[in-house]
Amino acid sequence: VQLQASGGGLVQAGGSLGLSCVASGRTFTVATAWFRQAPGKEREFVAAINWNGATTNYAASVQGRFTISRDNAKNAVHLQMNSLKPEDTAVYYCAANVDITALDVTTATGAETYQYWGQGTLVTVSS
């Protein structure tokens, strides 16, 4: 499966951005997550959604500000980011786990859990 992330850009603190991850190559009814990596820092978990959208999970740092959703008819997963902060500045990656259909996304927060990765999209939040 190939993942294409888009939607990054420059936004002022307090603003909003929406990211999208579109899959090709197979049906996208799999657990999908967003990670991010800021300059000089390790990649970190942001949010995840299970195969049918019934279960989501968020990092504490984005809880209440970010919303992950999916549209399986369009092979897409979205990340709506509101109330953005300068510390949200990072390259955002979408990732998918295709091995476990009913992956428990409430515990699947490690990057090693996901086999397929998009190319990343840069989000810059200015203060």
Side-chain angles (χ1 to χ4, degrees), residues 98-123:
V98 302
D99 286 348
I100 305 172
T101 302
L103 181 70
D104 182 359
V105 296
T106 62
T107 58
T109 60
E112 68 280 358
T113 302
Y114 300 89
Q115 302 88 12
Y116 293 92
W117 291 77
Q119 84 288 2
T121 184
L122 176 63
V123 172

Side-chain angles (χ1 to χ4, degrees), residues 29-81:
T29 51
V30 296
T32 309
W34 287 94
F35 288 78
R36 67 186 181 186
Q37 187 166 19
K41 295 187 177 181
E42 294 186 352
R43 190 169 299 189
E44 65 174 358
F45 171 80
V46 175
I49 188 167
N50 79 325
W51 70 276
N52 65 359
T55 305
T56 58
N57 186 28
Y58 297 92
S61 59
V62 307
Q63 180 78 46
R65 299 188 297 123
F66 290 13
T67 302
I68 189 170
S69 62
R70 70 186 307 143
D71 183 347
N72 285 344
K74 297 182 178 179
N75 271 9
V77 170
H78 307 288
L79 185 69
Q80 179 62 38
M81 306 183 293

